[in-house]
Every structure is written in structure tokens, then in C-alpha cells.
Amino acid sequence: MYAIVEIAGQQFKVSKDLKVYVHRLSNEEGSKVSFDKVLLLDDNGTITLGAPAVEGASVEAKVLQHLKGDKVIVFKKKRRKGYKKRNGHRQYLTQIVIEGITGAGTAKKAAPKKEAAPAAATEEADAPKVKKAPKAKKEEDTQE
């Protein structure tokens, strides 16, 4: 079972016991947090899509620690102008572990693709048929 959930403005594919690094959350270390914006839910091949979110579905997680990401160096230079700028950045992150995914049984399932095919066939049947011009016959050149 997995779900696609939106956490702190980003979308993640999560499953049970998965550790994920997300943008810094305001929760304390060791506290539990619940995410209600589940966009897709897969339960052993049964896919439930949300419009935009699945009603009643949620993802439970536990905050493990707050930390900073790797340093990223931003270096700008314009050649032959004497312009150099160096800047660094470390993103504030939170490590969480997914403890469980709860789904809703009343959610709407994705529409099968077979329903779209008959609609296209009826449009073609309603359109007037255009007669095609007869093909020109090829003349065979015989050598004597």
C-alpha cells in the first residue's frame, strides 16, 4: 500500500516505515503528525484518485529529528568584468517516518478508459461520410 501525499508544499510517494526528508515542520521531535491532503491511494492494485484530495484518507507520521541539508554553493561570475559573488545555502529539513496510511471506503475510483471509447464512436457515426475519389489505375509499360 502506498500513497501520494502533499507535505509542506511538495508531493511525496510514501509507504509504511519509510523515512522521508521534508521542509521544516513546526512540530516537536518525537511528536506525531497527520497529513490529510492525500492525492492518490493504492491499496494492492486498487487505485483511488482524489479530486483534488481523497476524502477521509490520511497519512500518519512521527517526527524523528530536525536538521540542515547539505551546503549548496552559489557562485556567480561575469568574465572580464571583475564580478564575482559567492553565496551558500543550507536548507532546514525535518526527518519523518511514516507510521500508517488510512484510506476511505467512500472515495471515488478512477473512471475506466472503456467508457471514453463509445463516446468517440458515436461522434464518428453522426458525422456525414465523405466519398473518396477513385484511385487512378497504373499503366504498365511493356518493353518490346
Side-chain angles (χ1 to χ4, degrees):
M1 177 178 222
Y2 73 88
I4 295 178
V5 62
E6 185 173 324
I7 302 171
Q10 291 182 319
Q11 295 177 6
F12 295 93
K13 179 181 176 183
V14 297
S15 58
K16 189 170 174 15
D17 299 328
L18 182 72
K19 292 182 182 178
V20 182
Y21 291 98
V22 298
H23 287 304
R24 182 64 63 99
L25 299 175
S26 61
N27 301 67
E28 299 284 327
E29 289 184 8
S31 66
K32 302 204 185 254
V33 63
S34 176
F35 304 107
D36 295 331
K37 195 155 187 184
V38 178
L39 306 175
L40 182 138
L41 191 64
D42 181 13
D43 187 15
N44 298 326
T46 305
I47 296 176
T48 306
L49 286 174
V54 177
E55 298 266 338
S58 66
V59 174
E60 306 296 325
K62 180 180 178 183
V63 176
L64 295 180
Q65 63 177 342
H66 297 294
L67 59 140
K68 290 170 85 173
D70 295 334
K71 181 173 270 197
V72 177
I73 303 296
V74 180
F75 185 73
K76 298 178 182 179
K77 178 184 175 181
K78 293 186 180 178
R79 63 183 190 156
R80 297 187 303 270
K81 305 293 183 205
Y83 173 79
K84 292 181 186 178
K85 291 287 182 188
R86 182 178 180 273
N87 196 0
H89 175 75
R90 291 186 73 183
Q91 184 69 38
Y92 291 105
L93 300 173
T94 300
Q95 184 182 18
I96 61 173
V97 62
I98 306 300
E99 292 186 335
I101 300 171
T102 58
T106 62
K108 201 177 192 181
K109 293 186 180 180
K113 293 189 178 185
K114 291 182 180 178
E115 292 179 12
T122 58
E123 291 175 9
E124 292 174 6
D126 295 340
K129 294 185 178 181
V130 178
K131 293 183 180 180
K132 295 182 181 178
K135 293 186 179 180
K137 295 181 180 178
K138 292 185 180 179
E139 295 181 23
E140 296 180 8
D141 294 330
T142 56
Q143 294 179 352
E144 296 179 21

